[in-house]
Amino acid sequence: MFFTVLERSLALGQHHVSTLFRTGWAYILLLLAVNFAIGSTLNPSGAFTTVSYMTEPLDTPDEGGLRFLGALANIVIGFSIAVAYVRKILIDAKDFPLQFGTRNIKVIYLQVLLTLIGFVSLIPLMMAAGLLGLVTGGLGLFLLLLAPFLALMVVQRLSIVLPAAAIDDSLSLRESWKTTTGLGTSMAIAGMVTSLLAAALIGGWALLLWGLGSLVPADPLWQHMRSTAFPMGTMLVLVWCFASLNATCYGLVRERYAKQLGLARDDYEKAEMERDRTRERANRALGSVRNLGRK
């Protein structure tokens, strides 16, 4: 099942790369504007020692506060791209190019809640690993290494509430947990592989920008453009990887239960045809009764 989840997720992402840009182009422009403005404020001269203002060493506390606001703006806009991307994939939504409402706030809230659940679930696992380590040593160390994976499994099993919220499906955390029974390990492994893929793509993006910086003259405008491109590309990579994974898991769960309930398209068509036949026979019988009554 792990290969099914991962293969479908990668296939979905590859097939919808253009969808990411078609649904998120307005948000991408907003990302560029926000990052360019913040980078220009923090370093007007454009003399960056690293790839971006987000990776520069802090000089004053004020820079930290402004950089935090920049990170927060990138996250909010990134989630807006994710919502638009998932809605286009799952329900072919034709939303306004730039919007932010209760749907986006709900998705962000659920993501924060899932992150907190992940960290909180680590506490008893770490405590159990410590106590077990006092008795058995090696087994406690094994549980200590396994704890992050178990916490990730918990988060992944609950994570299908994110695409559900994006398309206004009132799926609860409890329902998400129940519907992903038997998929936890596969979803957790797929989440780990997706995380590694995202890290590799972000690292490659940073390396590419660093390489271009060494080839292009040290012009302040170019430095600001490179600084702007790094956080923008990072958010797009994260949205593409994890939104594709979550949308795939949501689709698999819905597909799985539709099959169990026998809700295939053929069944719908057969039921509709049978309903039409029954209605036609009833109308004929009713017509015959009316004709007899007239006679």
Side-chain angles (χ1 to χ4, degrees):
M1 192 62 186
F2 152 66
F3 289 106
T4 300
V5 175
L6 187 60
E7 182 183 3
R8 288 199 182 187
S9 176
L10 292 175
L12 181 72
Q14 291 174 358
H15 183 68
H16 287 284
V17 171
S18 61
T19 303
L20 178 67
F21 289 95
R22 282 189 286 107
T23 57
W25 64 268
Y27 300 103
I28 293 172
L29 292 178
L30 185 59
L31 267 179
L32 292 173
V34 168
N35 285 302
F36 190 87
I38 294 176
S40 300
T41 302
L42 289 174
N43 193 346
S45 65
F48 295 101
T49 59
T50 59
V51 174
S52 171
Y53 78 90
M54 294 295 290
T55 57
E56 283 287 291
L58 288 175
D59 293 330
T60 63
D62 292 340
E63 290 185 3
L66 191 57
R67 192 178 300 180
F68 172 77
L69 290 177
L72 185 61
N74 277 271
I75 291 172
V76 171
I77 298 172
F79 272 103
S80 298
I81 298 174
V83 169
Y85 175 64
V86 169
R87 285 177 60 79
K88 183 64 177 179
I89 290 174
L90 294 179
I91 60 174
D92 194 26
K94 295 177 175 61
D95 298 326
F96 189 74
L98 195 66
Q99 61 176 257
F100 187 86
T102 55
R103 183 186 298 120
N104 304 64
I105 295 173
K106 183 178 180 180
V107 172
I108 294 173
Y109 161 74
L110 288 172
Q111 181 60 70
V112 172
L113 182 60
L114 290 177
T115 303
L116 291 175
I117 290 174
F119 281 117
V120 170
S121 63
L122 275 175
I123 297 175
L125 292 171
M126 292 295 186
M127 293 177 61
L131 294 174
L132 196 59
L134 295 175
V135 180
T136 62
L139 192 57
L141 179 60
F142 174 74
L143 181 58
L144 185 66
L145 297 174
L146 189 63
F149 178 80
L150 296 176
L152 177 62
M153 184 187 299
V154 172
V155 173
Q156 284 298 114
R157 287 192 58 180
L158 299 173
S159 64
I160 63 171
V161 296
L162 298 175
I167 61 173
D168 302 321
D169 180 356
S170 57
L171 185 74
S172 66
L173 290 173
R174 178 178 296 180
E175 291 170 337
S176 176
W177 183 264
K178 289 181 179 179
T179 55
T180 53
T181 301
L183 296 174
T185 303
S186 299
M187 293 174 67
I189 296 175
M192 290 180 60
V193 175
T194 301
S195 299
L196 293 174
L197 174 62
L201 290 175
I202 292 171
W205 179 240
L207 187 62
L208 175 63
L209 292 175
W210 178 80
L212 289 175
S214 62
L215 295 175
V216 179
D219 180 73
L221 179 60
W222 159 248
Q223 295 296 330
H224 283 303
M225 290 174 60
R226 186 181 68 163
S227 169
T228 298
F230 177 71
M232 182 271 295
T234 298
M235 291 310 305
L236 288 180
V237 167
L238 293 174
V239 167
W240 179 71
C241 288
F242 290 101
S244 297
L245 174 63
N246 289 334
T248 299
C249 294
Y250 177 81
L252 283 172
V253 166
R254 287 308 190 198
E255 177 184 291
R256 174 186 184 187
Y257 280 86
K259 287 181 178 178
Q260 288 185 6
L261 293 172
L263 301 179
R265 175 173 292 182
D266 291 342
D267 296 329
Y268 281 121
E269 293 176 352
K270 290 177 182 177
E272 189 65 29
M273 291 173 62
E274 185 63 30
R275 193 179 299 113
D276 291 340
R277 292 195 196 101
T278 303
R279 188 181 295 114
E280 185 178 352
R281 287 194 295 266
N283 289 334
R284 288 177 182 174
L286 184 59
S288 300
V289 171
R290 287 175 178 171
N291 291 331
L292 289 174
R294 290 171 185 170
K295 293 179 180 179

Short mmCIF file of all heavy atoms in Angstrom, two decimals, residues 12 16 19 23 82-93 160-169 243-252 254:
data_model
loop_
_atom_site.label_atom_id
_atom_site.label_comp_id
_atom_site.label_asym_id
_atom_site.label_seq_id
_atom_site.Cartn_x
_atom_site.Cartn_y
_atom_site.Cartn_z
N LEU A 12 0.32 12.35 -9.30
CA LEU A 12 -0.59 13.50 -9.19
C LEU A 12 0.19 14.81 -9.26
O LEU A 12 -0.20 15.74 -9.97
CB LEU A 12 -1.37 13.42 -7.88
CG LEU A 12 -2.39 14.54 -7.64
CD1 LEU A 12 -3.59 14.37 -8.56
CD2 LEU A 12 -2.85 14.55 -6.19
N HIS A 16 0.12 17.69 -12.31
CA HIS A 16 -0.52 18.97 -11.99
C HIS A 16 0.49 20.08 -11.66
O HIS A 16 0.15 21.01 -10.92
CB HIS A 16 -1.47 18.79 -10.81
CG HIS A 16 -2.73 18.06 -11.17
ND1 HIS A 16 -3.77 18.66 -11.86
CD2 HIS A 16 -3.12 16.78 -10.95
CE1 HIS A 16 -4.74 17.79 -12.03
NE2 HIS A 16 -4.38 16.64 -11.49
N THR A 19 -0.97 23.08 -13.04
CA THR A 19 -2.12 23.49 -12.24
C THR A 19 -1.69 24.36 -11.08
O THR A 19 -2.38 25.33 -10.71
CB THR A 19 -2.87 22.25 -11.71
OG1 THR A 19 -3.25 21.42 -12.80
CG2 THR A 19 -4.11 22.65 -10.92
N THR A 23 -3.34 28.06 -10.88
CA THR A 23 -4.22 28.44 -9.77
C THR A 23 -3.54 29.41 -8.79
O THR A 23 -4.24 30.12 -8.05
CB THR A 23 -4.68 27.20 -8.98
OG1 THR A 23 -3.53 26.49 -8.50
CG2 THR A 23 -5.50 26.29 -9.86
N ALA A 82 -2.03 26.46 -1.56
CA ALA A 82 -2.38 25.05 -1.36
C ALA A 82 -3.88 24.83 -1.46
O ALA A 82 -4.34 23.85 -2.07
CB ALA A 82 -1.87 24.58 0.01
N VAL A 83 -4.66 25.73 -0.87
CA VAL A 83 -6.13 25.61 -0.93
C VAL A 83 -6.61 25.69 -2.38
O VAL A 83 -7.43 24.88 -2.83
CB VAL A 83 -6.80 26.69 -0.07
CG1 VAL A 83 -8.29 26.75 -0.32
CG2 VAL A 83 -6.53 26.42 1.41
N ALA A 84 -6.11 26.69 -3.11
CA ALA A 84 -6.52 26.85 -4.51
C ALA A 84 -6.10 25.64 -5.35
O ALA A 84 -6.86 25.16 -6.21
CB ALA A 84 -5.91 28.13 -5.08
N TYR A 85 -4.91 25.13 -5.09
CA TYR A 85 -4.37 23.97 -5.82
C TYR A 85 -5.21 22.72 -5.57
O TYR A 85 -5.61 22.02 -6.51
CB TYR A 85 -2.92 23.76 -5.38
CG TYR A 85 -2.23 22.54 -5.94
CD1 TYR A 85 -2.00 22.40 -7.30
CD2 TYR A 85 -1.75 21.54 -5.09
CE1 TYR A 85 -1.33 21.29 -7.81
CE2 TYR A 85 -1.08 20.43 -5.58
CZ TYR A 85 -0.88 20.31 -6.95
OH TYR A 85 -0.22 19.22 -7.44
N VAL A 86 -5.51 22.44 -4.31
CA VAL A 86 -6.29 21.25 -3.95
C VAL A 86 -7.72 21.36 -4.48
O VAL A 86 -8.29 20.37 -4.96
CB VAL A 86 -6.28 21.04 -2.43
CG1 VAL A 86 -7.29 19.98 -2.01
CG2 VAL A 86 -4.89 20.62 -1.96
N ARG A 87 -8.31 22.52 -4.39
CA ARG A 87 -9.68 22.70 -4.87
C ARG A 87 -9.76 22.49 -6.39
O ARG A 87 -10.73 21.91 -6.88
CB ARG A 87 -10.18 24.11 -4.52
CG ARG A 87 -10.53 24.27 -3.05
CD ARG A 87 -10.93 25.70 -2.73
NE ARG A 87 -12.09 26.13 -3.50
CZ ARG A 87 -13.34 25.80 -3.19
NH1 ARG A 87 -13.59 25.02 -2.14
NH2 ARG A 87 -14.35 26.24 -3.92
N LYS A 88 -8.75 22.90 -7.10
CA LYS A 88 -8.75 22.69 -8.55
C LYS A 88 -8.59 21.22 -8.88
O LYS A 88 -9.26 20.70 -9.80
CB LYS A 88 -7.60 23.49 -9.17
CG LYS A 88 -7.54 23.42 -10.70
CD LYS A 88 -8.78 24.05 -11.32
CE LYS A 88 -8.68 24.06 -12.83
NZ LYS A 88 -9.88 24.65 -13.47
N ILE A 89 -7.74 20.51 -8.14
CA ILE A 89 -7.50 19.09 -8.41
C ILE A 89 -8.74 18.26 -8.08
O ILE A 89 -9.17 17.43 -8.88
CB ILE A 89 -6.29 18.58 -7.59
CG1 ILE A 89 -4.99 19.18 -8.11
CG2 ILE A 89 -6.20 17.06 -7.65
CD1 ILE A 89 -3.80 18.84 -7.26
N LEU A 90 -9.31 18.47 -6.89
CA LEU A 90 -10.36 17.59 -6.40
C LEU A 90 -11.74 17.91 -6.95
O LEU A 90 -12.53 16.99 -7.22
CB LEU A 90 -10.39 17.64 -4.87
CG LEU A 90 -9.15 17.07 -4.16
CD1 LEU A 90 -9.32 17.19 -2.64
CD2 LEU A 90 -8.92 15.61 -4.53
N ILE A 91 -12.07 19.17 -7.10
CA ILE A 91 -13.44 19.51 -7.54
C ILE A 91 -13.45 20.44 -8.75
O ILE A 91 -14.51 20.95 -9.11
CB ILE A 91 -14.24 20.15 -6.37
CG1 ILE A 91 -13.57 21.44 -5.88
CG2 ILE A 91 -14.41 19.16 -5.23
CD1 ILE A 91 -14.39 22.18 -4.83
N ASP A 92 -12.28 20.67 -9.36
CA ASP A 92 -12.18 21.53 -10.54
C ASP A 92 -12.81 22.90 -10.28
O ASP A 92 -13.57 23.43 -11.09
CB ASP A 92 -12.85 20.86 -11.75
CG ASP A 92 -12.49 21.54 -13.06
OD1 ASP A 92 -11.41 22.15 -13.12
OD2 ASP A 92 -13.28 21.48 -14.01
N ALA A 93 -12.49 23.45 -9.10
CA ALA A 93 -13.05 24.74 -8.71
C ALA A 93 -12.51 25.86 -9.59
O ALA A 93 -11.36 25.84 -10.01
CB ALA A 93 -12.73 25.04 -7.24
N ILE A 160 -5.87 14.21 6.51
CA ILE A 160 -6.81 14.35 5.39
C ILE A 160 -7.92 15.36 5.69
O ILE A 160 -8.72 15.67 4.82
CB ILE A 160 -7.41 13.00 4.98
CG1 ILE A 160 -8.23 12.37 6.11
CG2 ILE A 160 -6.35 12.04 4.49
CD1 ILE A 160 -9.01 11.15 5.66
N VAL A 161 -7.94 15.86 6.93
CA VAL A 161 -8.88 16.96 7.22
C VAL A 161 -8.48 18.23 6.47
O VAL A 161 -9.33 19.11 6.25
CB VAL A 161 -8.97 17.25 8.73
CG1 VAL A 161 -9.53 16.05 9.49
CG2 VAL A 161 -7.62 17.67 9.30
N LEU A 162 -7.21 18.34 6.06
CA LEU A 162 -6.75 19.55 5.36
C LEU A 162 -7.36 19.66 3.96
O LEU A 162 -7.99 20.68 3.65
CB LEU A 162 -5.22 19.56 5.30
CG LEU A 162 -4.50 19.62 6.66
CD1 LEU A 162 -3.00 19.49 6.47
CD2 LEU A 162 -4.84 20.92 7.38
N PRO A 163 -7.20 18.65 3.09
CA PRO A 163 -7.89 18.76 1.78
C PRO A 163 -9.40 18.75 1.92
O PRO A 163 -10.10 19.38 1.11
CB PRO A 163 -7.39 17.52 1.02
CG PRO A 163 -6.90 16.57 2.05
CD PRO A 163 -6.37 17.43 3.15
N ALA A 164 -9.92 18.06 2.96
CA ALA A 164 -11.37 18.07 3.17
C ALA A 164 -11.85 19.49 3.47
O ALA A 164 -12.87 19.94 2.93
CB ALA A 164 -11.74 17.13 4.32
N ALA A 165 -11.12 20.21 4.33
CA ALA A 165 -11.51 21.58 4.66
C ALA A 165 -11.38 22.49 3.44
O ALA A 165 -12.17 23.43 3.28
CB ALA A 165 -10.64 22.11 5.80
N ALA A 166 -10.41 22.21 2.58
CA ALA A 166 -10.21 23.04 1.39
C ALA A 166 -11.39 22.96 0.43
O ALA A 166 -11.69 23.93 -0.28
CB ALA A 166 -8.93 22.63 0.67
N ILE A 167 -12.10 21.82 0.41
CA ILE A 167 -13.24 21.67 -0.50
C ILE A 167 -14.57 21.69 0.27
O ILE A 167 -15.59 21.23 -0.22
CB ILE A 167 -13.13 20.38 -1.33
CG1 ILE A 167 -13.12 19.14 -0.44
CG2 ILE A 167 -11.89 20.43 -2.21
CD1 ILE A 167 -13.19 17.84 -1.22
N ASP A 168 -14.51 22.19 1.52
CA ASP A 168 -15.71 22.36 2.36
C ASP A 168 -16.38 21.04 2.72
O ASP A 168 -17.60 20.97 2.87
CB ASP A 168 -16.73 23.29 1.67
CG ASP A 168 -16.14 24.64 1.35
OD1 ASP A 168 -15.38 25.16 2.18
OD2 ASP A 168 -16.41 25.18 0.26
N ASP A 169 -15.58 20.00 2.87
CA ASP A 169 -16.07 18.71 3.35
C ASP A 169 -15.93 18.72 4.87
O ASP A 169 -14.83 18.91 5.40
CB ASP A 169 -15.25 17.58 2.74
CG ASP A 169 -15.70 16.19 3.20
OD1 ASP A 169 -16.60 16.11 4.06
OD2 ASP A 169 -15.14 15.20 2.72
N ALA A 243 0.71 19.12 -0.54
CA ALA A 243 -0.68 19.20 -0.99
C ALA A 243 -1.01 18.03 -1.91
O ALA A 243 -2.12 17.48 -1.86
CB ALA A 243 -0.94 20.53 -1.69
N SER A 244 -0.05 17.63 -2.75
CA SER A 244 -0.27 16.47 -3.62
C SER A 244 -0.42 15.20 -2.79
O SER A 244 -1.28 14.35 -3.08
CB SER A 244 0.90 16.32 -4.60
OG SER A 244 1.00 17.44 -5.46
N LEU A 245 0.41 15.05 -1.75
CA LEU A 245 0.31 13.88 -0.89
C LEU A 245 -1.02 13.84 -0.15
O LEU A 245 -1.70 12.80 -0.12
CB LEU A 245 1.47 13.87 0.12
CG LEU A 245 1.42 12.78 1.19
CD1 LEU A 245 1.51 11.39 0.55
CD2 LEU A 245 2.55 12.98 2.21
N ASN A 246 -1.41 14.95 0.45
CA ASN A 246 -2.66 14.98 1.22
C ASN A 246 -3.88 14.78 0.32
O ASN A 246 -4.84 14.09 0.70
CB ASN A 246 -2.78 16.30 1.97
CG ASN A 246 -1.80 16.41 3.12
OD1 ASN A 246 -1.36 15.41 3.67
ND2 ASN A 246 -1.44 17.63 3.48
N ALA A 247 -3.86 15.37 -0.88
CA ALA A 247 -4.96 15.18 -1.80
C ALA A 247 -5.06 13.72 -2.25
O ALA A 247 -6.16 13.17 -2.39
CB ALA A 247 -4.80 16.09 -3.03
N THR A 248 -3.91 13.08 -2.43
CA THR A 248 -3.88 11.66 -2.82
C THR A 248 -4.47 10.80 -1.71
O THR A 248 -5.30 9.91 -1.97
CB THR A 248 -2.45 11.21 -3.12
OG1 THR A 248 -1.93 11.97 -4.21
CG2 THR A 248 -2.41 9.73 -3.48
N CYS A 249 -4.05 11.03 -0.47
CA CYS A 249 -4.57 10.25 0.66
C CYS A 249 -6.07 10.46 0.83
O CYS A 249 -6.81 9.51 1.10
CB CYS A 249 -3.83 10.63 1.95
SG CYS A 249 -2.08 10.16 1.95
N TYR A 250 -6.52 11.69 0.66
CA TYR A 250 -7.96 11.98 0.76
C TYR A 250 -8.73 11.23 -0.32
O TYR A 250 -9.77 10.62 -0.06
CB TYR A 250 -8.19 13.48 0.64
CG TYR A 250 -9.65 13.88 0.65
CD1 TYR A 250 -10.35 13.99 1.84
CD2 TYR A 250 -10.31 14.14 -0.55
CE1 TYR A 250 -11.69 14.36 1.84
CE2 TYR A 250 -11.65 14.51 -0.55
CZ TYR A 250 -12.33 14.62 0.65
OH TYR A 250 -13.66 14.98 0.64
N GLY A 251 -8.20 11.26 -1.55
CA GLY A 251 -8.85 10.56 -2.64
C GLY A 251 -8.88 9.06 -2.43
O GLY A 251 -9.88 8.39 -2.72
N LEU A 252 -7.78 8.49 -1.92
CA LEU A 252 -7.72 7.05 -1.66
C LEU A 252 -8.75 6.63 -0.61
O LEU A 252 -9.40 5.60 -0.74
CB LEU A 252 -6.32 6.66 -1.20
CG LEU A 252 -5.25 6.56 -2.28
CD1 LEU A 252 -3.87 6.37 -1.64
CD2 LEU A 252 -5.53 5.42 -3.24
N ARG A 254 -11.60 8.21 0.23
CA ARG A 254 -12.94 8.33 -0.33
C ARG A 254 -13.21 7.21 -1.34
O ARG A 254 -14.30 6.64 -1.37
CB ARG A 254 -13.12 9.69 -0.99
CG ARG A 254 -13.23 10.86 -0.01
CD ARG A 254 -14.29 10.60 1.02
NE ARG A 254 -14.59 11.77 1.84
CZ ARG A 254 -15.21 11.72 3.00
NH1 ARG A 254 -15.55 10.53 3.51
NH2 ARG A 254 -15.47 12.81 3.68
#
